[in-house]
Each structure stands twice: as structure tokens, then as C-alpha cells.
Amino acid sequence: MSIADTMSVAARNAWALTFGPGVEQPDPAPTTVLWDEPHRQLRRFEGADDGAPTTAQPGVGVLLVPPLAAPASCFDLRADQSVARFLLGTGRQPYVVDYGDISFADRRMGVEDWIDEILPEAVLRSSADQGGAPVDLVGWSLGGTLALLTAAAHPELPIRSIAAVGSPLDYTELTGIPQLRAAATLTRGLGVSTLVRAVGGVPATFTRLAYRATALERELTRPWFIASNLASTERLARMTTIDRFMADMPGYPGRFYGQLWGRWVLHNDLGRGVIEFGSRRIALADVTAPVLLVGGTEDAITPASAVAAGTRTLRGAASVRYETAPGSHLGILTGPGAARTTWRYLDEFLASTRNAHFG
């Protein structure tokens, strides 16, 4: 590219970032809505741009499970950062459950709403769309944790396998948690829980700020990154895609976050392999399907050791495969190296479980 062309591209990108709509507009993969109720919209990704149904054969359904406090677009950020499109390219049929926005009106929603209602319904409807065949679950971050708990609580569900990417399974391994637990002993954990109950949850604004804080270096070097990459439309497009993703982050329902704080952070139920809701106990050892765990070696939110904890608590699984991938919390799912690591692991894992017996 000539100097004149480079300057022209840089000027065009600078204008797009400052006054225009951005260097690249969202271009999500086409989907068909199969079920549309509050906090449980189920969509099927389609292989054709015109939205026509795919030609994938029944029995290859993959349900993508996002975490709370992150948009379902995490599985389809852009054309080359899309787990959904990757799965379509391998001949599989991906679905995604979308929780939508979380507001003060949803403050009474708890973990049970997800593992007893939202995810089981998504599994059953995805399976029905596949002619009744079992489906594979792929969850990112807390979505993987919820997928595992759903399988443990409901062994009757048609789940063939579960892949959990960057999913916390031992909160004592998370950065800063031991210090938070020590501080919470002074107030018996009431400080955070009281505040969350008062505002009805964790507002979306706070989750966005918290996520940015985990990538502080990125935020601090952002001006320099833009200045040094004004002539690289691709790099700027990736940056704006992540910015858009963070801007769309919803919050947590009050009751859900109270359970997460009280039982998972303070008491580390997940690390012990059993979560408790009053007299009810759900054991990770009750998961019987094959499991793939992927930890991020550079993940500042969920260190690889917090994911690897599942290799000792998922004792009843038909198999537990643990792998690592480079990149940030989101990067191990959709970053530049994901195709060579996480996606390859996922493809191999789904192929190995394709003929697994269900029943």
C-alpha cells in the first residue's frame, strides 16, 4: 500500500471512530427464533445468509450457553470471531439461549431459575428441533458452570456432552477472592449482600466497569493502540467489536448474585463439588456426560487452576478432558488463537462424543 493509500485509510478510520458509526458495523450470523419468552429466548443459527434452514442432519445440535452479565453475542462477535459460525462450518447445528436484559423487576431470580427452568427448557426445545436427539452443551464462563449444574440436577435431560470454557469451578483460585473472604469475615458477608439486595442486583453499569478493570492495560493503552493502528481497519474492527460487546453487558439479578456471593465466593461450594439451597444439594459428581474443560493461561478473571478444579469434582463424568489456551477470558473463546486451540479442542471433543450412548 502506498503512503497516499495508507494516509487515506487512516483518515477514513479516524473519521469513522470519531464522528461516524465505527470502522465496521455489526454483522451477526442469521438466526431463527424458536422460542421467545423473557430471559429464555432460544435461537437457531442458520447456515445461509437468507435465513433458510441448514441442511445439517439431526443429532448434531449444540446449545451455546452464555453466562449472566454478558450478552449472548459472545458466541458470534464477528465473522472470524464466531463459535457459532465455526460449528456451522463443521456441519453441526448451533443454538443459543439469550437471557436478555436484567432489571430491578428480575431481582428475585436465582440460580434455580437457570438450572431448573431456563436451561432445561432450552435443552428440551433444542433436542426437539433435532428430532429428539441429545444435544451438546457449550458454555463460556459462568455459562459452563450453569450447564454442568443443570446436568447434575437433571440427569433425565437429553444432554450428550458438556464443554465449559473459562468456567469457574473453585472460587478460592480466583484472583483476590481469598482477600475478599477474609474481609467479609468482619461483617459476616453482610456488606455486599445488603447492598445488592437494596439495589435489586448488580447494575449493568457496574458489570461493564468491572470487566474493563480486569483489562486495565488495554484501557490505558487504548489511545496509543488507536493512533498506531489507524491504517489497520482489521485491528480497529476487532477493538470496536470488543467495545460493543462490553457496552451490551447486562447485570445480575439480586437473588442470583446473593447466592453466588454467599455460597460460591464465601463458602466455595463449587470447589467442594456440592452446592446447597436450603435442604437441597446438587453434586457435580452427578454429572455423567463426557466433559471438556478449557482454562486460559492468561485469564485474569478465571485462572486456569479454577477451571482445572473440575477434574477432581466431576468424578462421575464418563470422561473429563482438560486443556489450556492462551488469551484473555473472552480471548480463549473468540480471540486470534481460539481457532488453533479452543475450537480445535471442541471439534475433537464433539467428534469423540458423537456416538456416545444416551439413555
Side-chain angles (χ1 to χ4, degrees):
M1 183 183 295
S2 68
I3 294 178
D5 289 339
T6 299
M7 292 182 65
S8 176
V9 171
R12 191 163 56 246
N13 287 338
W15 175 270
L17 288 172
T18 308
F19 303 107
V23 297
E24 181 180 86
Q25 292 304 294
D27 183 26
T31 60
T32 296
V33 176
L34 301 182
W35 180 249
D36 195 6
E37 292 292 332
H39 309 305
R40 62 195 71 199
Q41 185 188 76
L42 180 67
R43 300 194 300 271
R44 180 182 63 212
F45 286 93
E46 307 293 1
D49 292 337
D50 60 2
T54 65
T55 57
Q57 296 299 311
V60 291
V62 181
L63 176 62
L64 302 175
V65 183
L68 278 78
S73 62
C74 60
F75 293 110
D76 183 41
L77 290 179
R78 57 197 299 264
D80 63 345
Q81 292 178 274
S82 175
V83 177
R85 296 183 215 218
F86 166 74
L87 290 170
L88 284 168
T90 64
R92 299 180 177 96
Q93 178 58 74
Y95 303 81
V96 67
V97 54
D98 192 335
Y99 316 135
D101 292 331
I102 300 294
S103 68
F104 182 78
D106 305 310
R107 62 192 180 278
R108 295 186 178 87
M109 294 182 71
V111 174
E112 302 96 321
D113 288 279
W114 268 263
I115 65 176
D116 289 336
E117 297 179 23
I118 294 174
L119 295 185
E121 183 173 58
V123 169
L124 290 172
R125 289 183 179 276
S126 300
S127 172
D129 194 59
Q130 288 290 305
V135 297
D136 301 289
L137 305 189
V138 177
W140 172 58
S141 191
L142 190 58
T145 307
L146 292 173
L148 289 167
L149 291 174
T150 299
H154 300 283
E156 75 283 359
L157 287 173
I159 296 173
R160 178 167 45 224
S161 71
I162 306 160
V165 180
S167 300
L169 296 174
D170 187 336
Y171 274 70
T172 62
E173 298 292 335
L174 271 61
T175 304
I177 292 299
Q179 291 78 10
L180 280 176
R181 294 175 69 185
T185 59
L186 299 176
T187 62
R188 298 183 180 179
L190 295 178
V192 171
S193 59
T194 300
L195 177 61
V196 170
R197 281 198 300 269
V199 298
V202 178
T205 301
F206 184 81
T207 63
R208 294 163 191 166
L209 289 173
Y211 193 88
R212 287 183 182 277
T214 64
L216 187 58
E217 182 179 355
R218 176 185 184 272
E219 296 301 310
L220 293 176
T221 59
R222 177 186 173 88
W224 170 250
F225 180 87
I226 293 175
S228 59
N229 288 282
L230 272 178
S232 176
T233 303
E234 172 64 20
R235 290 182 180 178
L236 293 178
R238 282 180 171 270
M239 180 198 73
T240 55
T241 295
I242 301 303
D243 289 345
R244 189 180 301 116
F245 168 79
M246 291 192 291
D248 289 340
M249 285 182 167
Y252 283 96
R255 184 163 174 267
F256 187 105
Y257 195 83
Q259 292 170 318
L260 186 154
W261 170 255
R263 298 307 316 176
W264 298 3
V265 174
L266 296 185
H267 292 89
N268 195 32
D269 280 6
L270 284 170
R272 294 185 294 106
V274 179
I275 66 169
E276 300 180 2
F277 303 108
S279 60
R280 184 182 183 190
R281 292 166 54 88
I282 300 175
L284 288 174
D286 289 338
V287 174
T288 58
V291 174
L292 168 67
L293 302 173
V294 181
T297 56
E298 303 160 38
D299 191 339
I301 295 179
T302 304
S305 57
V307 181
T311 59
R312 59 174 172 76
T313 54
L314 293 162
R315 298 184 299 275
S319 64
V320 179
R321 174 178 174 180
Y322 172 68
E323 300 285 356
T324 60
S328 65
H329 193 54
L330 181 60
I332 62 174
L333 181 73
T334 61
R340 300 187 303 273
T341 55
T342 302
W343 296 3
R344 178 170 61 83
Y345 305 148
L346 182 59
D347 185 41
E348 294 170 353
F349 174 70
L350 294 178
S352 70
T353 62
R354 176 69 179 84
N355 297 317
H357 174 70
F358 170 73

